[in-house]
Amino acid sequence: MLGKLRSFPDRVARITKSPPYSYISTLFTHSQSEEPYDPPFSVISKPAKPPKPKKKKQTKSQDKKTTTTIPAERPKLPVKSDLPFDFRYSYSEYNPAVEPIGYREKKRFSPFGPRRLDREWTGTAAPAESNVDDQERYLEERNRVLGDPLTAAELEELVERYRHSDCSRQINLGKGGVTHNMLDDIHNHWKRAEAVRIKCLGVPTLDMGNLCFHLEDKSGGKIIYRHINVLLLYRGRNYDHKSRPLVPLMLWKPYPPIYPRLVKNVADGLTFEQTKEMRNRGLNAHPLMKLTRNGVYANVADRVREAFATEDVVRLDCTHVGTSDCKRIGVKLRDLVPCVPILVKDEQIILWRGTIENEQRHDSPPVLAEPSDC
């Protein structure tokens, strides 16, 4: 009994020397089964990822062999187009009778890009080297594409389908008139539609007959409907988009050349004092019409021609139209009415009827080149 009591302090000393709670843990482990201890929420080691295969180093000769690909087919340069007319930025807003007196950039800067077209740029156009045979061949091909004329039922169906303002096949024609890149837009619309709706605004609407002529002549189509400033351009019965003529695009808008002044200091047939008096009379006169910006000017030439029957000077109020558009309007009216612009200032245009020679021409106004059914 005494031996057991003597050994008790040693046992207590061994327990106290051990870390806390170790005795309870030993009792807990002995009471459980002999399976390995796996407490809940224990961290499970992720499976090791397989090593990535190492890429073999290739020599320069092997790299060249593997990287060689078949090059994409590119159009042959320079591009050759068989269209028999000169390529210009605008066809309707150009008068071949008036030659420029200077250029704002050198002639070698072609808007088609360097060495991309087989035609030389002269500063205003890329002339075509075409013969009479080429023009006849172009007319024959155009007549073949147009085919037989439309019947009344077909014409009525096309007009009803494309004449409305919510038509998705529409091209807006602005102050640039019939531009070169517009021809490509027309052919892109003709790829999925038989006709395209063209809405004309601005200065070109002064001469709608000129617009109709150039649209038919340059695109090869036919105008089947015209209402004030809305046109419908028909592609033809035998049109094929894959065999359409090649229209090379202009990469940028070329700078317009320098032309002679529209308004002279002294009008032809008048002295300096008479010209000054005409200008003052025009500025103090009641305006014949008030033009808006990007408006429809289809009846302006007729109104001015009628006003010259009783008056010598006419004023047009072009507030908010812009100085450049005022000059374009003056040039158009000078050739259409005809008349003499004596002042373009503060967005006001003063027109003089002219001498007796101009008055004789008022009796027989110029016949505009209008296409058929236009």
Side-chain angles (χ1 to χ4, degrees):
M1 186 67 182
L2 292 173
K4 293 180 178 180
L5 291 174
R6 288 175 183 174
S7 61
F8 180 75
D10 298 336
R11 189 180 301 175
V12 173
R14 284 198 301 271
I15 294 172
T16 54
K17 289 180 181 179
S18 62
Y21 307 108
S22 61
Y23 181 71
I24 299 173
S25 61
T26 54
L27 293 176
F28 182 79
T29 54
H30 283 291
S31 62
Q32 300 294 329
S33 62
E34 295 180 356
E35 295 180 0
Y37 174 62
D38 187 13
F41 309 108
S42 59
V43 179
I44 300 175
S45 59
K46 295 182 180 179
K49 295 182 180 180
K52 295 181 180 180
K54 295 182 179 180
K55 295 182 180 180
K56 296 181 179 180
K57 294 183 179 180
Q58 297 179 353
T59 59
K60 295 183 179 179
S61 60
Q62 292 177 350
D63 292 340
K64 292 180 180 179
K65 292 180 181 180
T66 55
T67 55
T68 53
T69 56
I70 300 175
E73 296 183 359
R74 297 180 179 179
K76 295 182 180 180
L77 298 178
V79 178
K80 183 178 180 181
S81 180
D82 296 333
L83 293 173
F85 52 85
D86 300 346
F87 292 160
R88 304 181 183 275
Y89 173 74
S90 177
Y91 298 104
S92 61
E93 304 307 300
Y94 171 77
N95 188 3
V98 181
E99 296 183 359
I101 59 176
Y103 298 93
R104 291 183 172 88
E105 62 181 0
K106 297 182 179 180
K107 298 180 181 180
R108 68 172 181 269
F109 295 109
S110 173
F112 296 97
R115 295 185 296 276
R116 293 180 61 89
L117 188 66
D118 64 337
R119 304 183 184 185
E120 295 183 0
W121 181 254
T122 62
T124 57
E129 298 178 359
S130 60
N131 302 325
V132 179
D133 297 337
D134 297 337
Q135 295 180 357
E136 293 179 353
R137 192 183 306 110
Y138 175 73
L139 293 176
E140 292 177 358
E141 180 65 18
R142 176 186 173 184
N143 295 331
R144 185 194 66 81
V145 172
L146 290 176
D148 298 334
L150 296 172
T151 61
E154 293 173 340
L155 182 63
E156 183 179 358
E157 180 185 357
L158 286 174
V159 170
E160 185 63 25
R161 189 191 309 172
Y162 295 105
R163 72 180 178 87
H164 299 286
S165 59
D166 59 348
C167 176
S168 60
R169 301 298 174 184
Q170 175 175 313
I171 295 177
N172 296 324
L173 188 147
K175 64 181 181 180
V178 183
T179 59
H180 179 78
N181 287 6
M182 187 181 295
L183 302 179
D184 186 70
D185 295 340
I186 291 172
H187 284 287
N188 290 336
H189 280 286
W190 279 349
K191 184 178 181 180
R192 296 178 176 85
E194 296 183 71
V196 59
R197 183 177 188 265
I198 301 176
K199 184 178 180 180
C200 309
L201 295 174
V203 182
T205 57
L206 282 166
D207 192 358
M208 291 298 298
N210 188 32
L211 289 180
C212 296
F213 170 76
H214 285 289
L215 283 172
E216 288 190 348
D217 183 60
K218 303 304 185 295
S219 66
K222 183 178 182 180
I223 293 178
I224 58 176
Y225 175 80
R226 171 180 171 182
H227 179 67
I228 306 177
N229 66 321
V230 176
L231 308 173
L232 291 185
L233 190 60
Y234 177 59
R235 68 182 184 181
R237 291 183 180 273
N238 304 322
Y239 178 81
D240 185 10
H241 184 75
K242 295 181 180 179
S243 61
R244 70 184 182 95
L246 177 62
V247 181
L249 296 179
M250 286 190 176
L251 305 183
W252 63 82
K253 178 181 177 180
Y255 287 106
I258 302 173
Y259 289 98
R261 292 186 60 182
L262 172 64
V263 179
K264 298 181 180 179
N265 294 331
V266 180
D268 296 337
L270 297 177
T271 61
F272 178 77
E273 297 296 333
Q274 292 174 342
T275 305
K276 186 176 180 180
E277 181 185 357
M278 287 285 184
R279 290 170 180 169
N280 293 332
R281 284 175 52 191
L283 290 174
N284 296 326
H286 185 74
L288 176 65
M289 297 181 66
K290 185 174 182 180
L291 306 183
T292 58
R293 185 177 181 84
N294 292 331
V296 181
Y297 313 140
N299 61 340
V300 174
D302 295 335
R303 291 282 301 276
V304 172
R305 195 178 292 115
E306 292 174 0
F308 279 151
T310 57
E311 299 179 4
D312 294 341
V313 182
V314 170
R315 177 165 75 96
L316 298 178
D317 187 2
C318 302
T319 307
H320 307 300
V321 171
T323 305
S324 61
D325 285 0
C326 288
K327 294 180 180 179
R328 293 170 183 265
I329 293 172
V331 171
K332 287 275 189 180
L333 293 177
R334 180 191 63 184
D335 301 331
L336 291 174
V337 174
C339 59
V340 180
I342 58 176
L343 183 63
V344 179
K345 183 180 180 182
D346 297 334
E347 297 182 339
Q348 303 293 318
I349 302 177
I350 310 299
L351 302 173
W352 175 45
R353 182 171 57 182
T355 57
I356 300 176
E357 297 177 357
N358 289 337
E359 293 179 4
Q360 294 177 355
R361 288 191 290 173
H362 287 304
D363 300 334
S364 58
V367 179
L368 302 179
E370 292 190 7
S372 59
D373 299 338
C374 181

